[in-house]
């Protein structure tokens, strides 16, 4: 039997052409199939969208939880590095609350902090809530790095080391933990410069620790040849900042191209009073005793030699730095001679202007 197609013209036995009507059962069957197919497709799309929405609804809370439970990346704020941007050492007394400005890149909710000794991996202090820029220093002297903690994870904050000082009040009869410091004029006479608040406690492992871009802890050791460890030293962070600014000024004269290549040789950093009184021609109340001064040599003209010209150039850089940063004003002594070892510059941050010249 021949099949019929809707709308097909067929020949009648009488010879007439007849058009099949649209309401034949075959059309109804085709139409029904199309309707059911369309409904099935719509249902499938709807089911897919529902499942996808359900998956999204499931994924979002999990992703949010993971993000919130991670320790965010953090770094010291630019203000923590001084005007030069190159000071890498902060100072505090044991258990002292101090400002440690942080830039936190992430969710700070439930964030905690602790301290780790430099060269170690174990926590040196218990975790404490981090609620602002104020943190508490460890109770023991030494060098530390800040670590952030959250949900059992931790992340170290790089770039800034904390030096917890041994308080000056621990000094007894000129001795600090078995190390001879001597006596400051301010301990015997009123109106003199007060002694430093505290001292860095330095072990042999700390000597090469960077404290600025160009300076390390060993540059400020007391050269008294006591042969005792730990050694002790006082350093004023303003001095570190000033020295780096002087180097930056010299680099500017060279088009900033050689700032990383400029070397600074510290002839004398900290001098304890006991040592200072044995140094020839040293002032009785020398700024070196307070960590406020350094005698340095810099090859300012880049010719590979240290000459009187270099000392004068460094002196000019100091003058410019003090004009730009009045809070760093201090003493400037230019020492020149025909011998490279006696061409150097004394730089300090005593808080008032002082100028002098010396020879070898």
């Amino acid at each position: 039997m021949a099949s019929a197609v809707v709308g097909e013209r067929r020949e009648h036995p009488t010879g007439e052409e007849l058009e099949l009507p649209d309401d034949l059962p075959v059309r109804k069957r085709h139409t029904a199939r199309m309707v059911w197919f369309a409904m099935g497709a719509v249902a499938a799309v709807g089911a897919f969208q529902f499942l996808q929405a359900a998956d999204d609804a499931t994924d979002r809370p999990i992703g949010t939880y993971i993000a919130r439970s991670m320790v965010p990346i953090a770094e010291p704020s630019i203000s923590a590095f001084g005007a030069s941007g190159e000071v890498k050492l902060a100072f505090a007394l044991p258990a002292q609350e101090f400002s440690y400005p942080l830039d936190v890149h992430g969710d700070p909710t439930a964030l905690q902090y602790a301290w780790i000794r430099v060269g170690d991996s174990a926590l040196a202090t218990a975790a404490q809530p981090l609620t602002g820029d104020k943190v508490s220093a460890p109770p023991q002297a030494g060098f530390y790095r800040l670590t952030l903690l959250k949900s059992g994870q931790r992340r170290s904050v790089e770039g800034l080391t904390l030096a917890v000082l041994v308080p000056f009040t621990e000094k007894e009869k000129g001795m600090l933990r078995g190390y001879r410091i001597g006596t400051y004029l301010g301990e015997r006479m009123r109106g003199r410069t007060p002694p430093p608040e505290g001292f860095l406690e330095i072990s042999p492992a700390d000597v090469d620790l960077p404290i600025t871009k160009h300076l390390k802890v060993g540059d400020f050791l007391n050269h008294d040849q006591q042969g005792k460890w730990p050694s002790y030293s006082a350093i004023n962070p303003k001095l570190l900042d000033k020295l780096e600014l002087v180097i930056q000024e010299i680099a500017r004269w060279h088009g900033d191209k050689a700032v990383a290549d400029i070397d600074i040789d510290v002839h004398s950093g900290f001098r304890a009073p006991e040592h200072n009184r044995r140094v020839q021609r040293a002032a009785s109340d020398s700024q070196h005793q307070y960590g406020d001064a350094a005698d340095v040599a810099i090859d300012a003209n880049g010719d590979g030699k240290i000459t009187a010209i270099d000392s004068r150039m460094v002196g000019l850089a100091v003058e410019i730095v003090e004009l730009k940063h009045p809070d760093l004003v201090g003493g400037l002594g230019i020492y020149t001679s025909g011998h490279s070892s006696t061409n150097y510059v004394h730089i300090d941050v005593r808080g008032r202007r002082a100028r002098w010249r010396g020879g070898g």
Side-chain angles (χ1 to χ4, degrees):
M1 180 176 180
S3 61
V5 179
V6 177
E8 180 184 7
R9 291 183 178 274
R10 297 188 61 184
E11 186 175 342
H12 192 269
T14 61
E16 296 177 83
E17 287 188 352
L18 298 176
E19 184 173 344
L20 296 178
D22 289 339
D23 58 349
L24 285 177
V26 65
R27 178 176 177 88
K28 291 182 179 179
R29 288 197 299 272
H30 278 231
T31 303
R33 287 174 187 163
M34 293 297 294
V35 169
W36 281 110
F37 178 79
M39 290 177 64
V42 170
V45 171
F48 174 77
Q49 291 178 340
F50 174 81
L51 291 173
Q52 187 179 40
D55 287 343
D56 289 347
T58 303
D59 288 345
R60 286 191 191 110
I62 293 175
T64 301
Y65 172 77
I66 292 174
R68 288 180 177 174
S69 65
M70 291 179 62
V71 182
I73 296 174
E75 58 193 5
S77 301
I78 189 65
S79 60
F81 301 104
S84 66
E86 301 294 356
V87 178
K88 302 180 184 297
L89 194 64
F91 300 81
L93 292 171
Q96 179 185 12
E97 185 181 71
F98 69 102
S99 177
Y100 191 114
L102 276 176
D103 291 336
V104 179
H105 306 283
D107 183 9
T109 306
L111 200 57
Q112 296 180 303
Y113 74 93
W115 297 98
I116 295 178
R117 280 188 179 272
V118 171
D120 201 353
S121 59
L123 297 182
T125 64
Q128 300 183 63
L130 183 67
T131 57
D133 71 329
K134 298 292 185 182
V135 295
S136 294
Q140 302 295 327
F143 297 94
Y144 298 85
R145 291 210 168 92
L146 187 70
T147 295
L148 301 182
L149 305 98
K150 189 175 186 179
S151 302
Q153 303 176 61
R154 70 187 195 186
R155 186 191 298 273
S156 295
V157 177
E158 302 296 334
L160 191 65
T161 301
L162 172 65
V164 178
L165 308 175
V166 177
F168 176 82
T169 53
E170 287 195 20
K171 187 174 78 70
E172 295 182 358
K173 297 181 179 179
M175 302 294 293
L176 181 67
R177 298 186 175 184
Y179 188 92
R180 183 168 295 282
I181 295 291
T183 303
Y184 286 86
L185 286 180
E187 295 180 83
R188 304 194 307 261
M189 304 169 61
R190 292 182 179 180
R192 307 306 293 249
T193 304
E197 286 188 327
F199 302 90
L200 278 71
E201 186 172 68
I202 305 168
S203 70
D206 302 322
V207 170
D208 292 325
L209 183 67
I211 55 178
T212 73
K213 183 180 181 69
H214 294 89
L215 299 166
K216 58 185 185 296
V217 169
D219 291 323
F220 292 88
L221 283 173
N222 186 28
H223 299 304
D224 58 355
Q225 299 179 340
Q226 287 191 35
K228 293 179 67 69
W229 296 99
S231 182
Y232 294 88
S233 177
I235 305 177
N236 188 332
K238 284 189 173 183
L239 175 65
L240 301 180
D241 207 15
K242 187 173 184 177
L243 292 173
E244 285 294 334
L245 287 167
V246 167
I247 293 174
Q248 289 176 4
E249 182 61 31
I250 294 171
R252 188 177 66 84
W253 302 341
H254 295 279
D256 290 322
K257 62 183 179 181
V259 65
D261 299 324
I262 294 177
D263 291 325
I264 179 170
D265 181 15
V266 180
H267 287 191
S268 179
F270 172 69
R271 292 204 299 255
E274 181 70 17
H275 173 50
N276 186 72
R277 68 184 183 87
R278 298 196 301 269
V279 175
Q280 188 178 10
R281 292 182 293 181
S284 61
D285 203 22
S286 170
Q287 297 299 307
H288 288 276
Q289 300 172 101
Y290 306 95
D292 290 347
D295 296 340
V296 302
I298 301 174
D299 180 15
N301 61 7
D303 65 354
K305 298 179 291 184
I306 302 296
T307 66
I309 295 175
D310 295 302
S311 294
R312 295 188 184 100
M313 290 179 68
V314 173
L316 176 59
V318 171
E319 297 283 8
I320 295 172
V321 167
E322 289 191 2
L323 285 173
K324 293 179 178 179
H325 304 274
D327 58 313
L328 299 178
V329 69
L332 169 62
I334 298 177
Y335 293 81
T336 59
S337 75
H339 197 282
S340 61
S341 64
T342 51
N343 284 297
Y344 64 91
V345 179
H346 170 102
I347 302 173
D348 70 50
V349 287
R350 66 183 67 191
R352 55 183 174 80
R353 180 182 170 87
R355 297 292 185 267
W356 68 93
R357 290 182 178 272

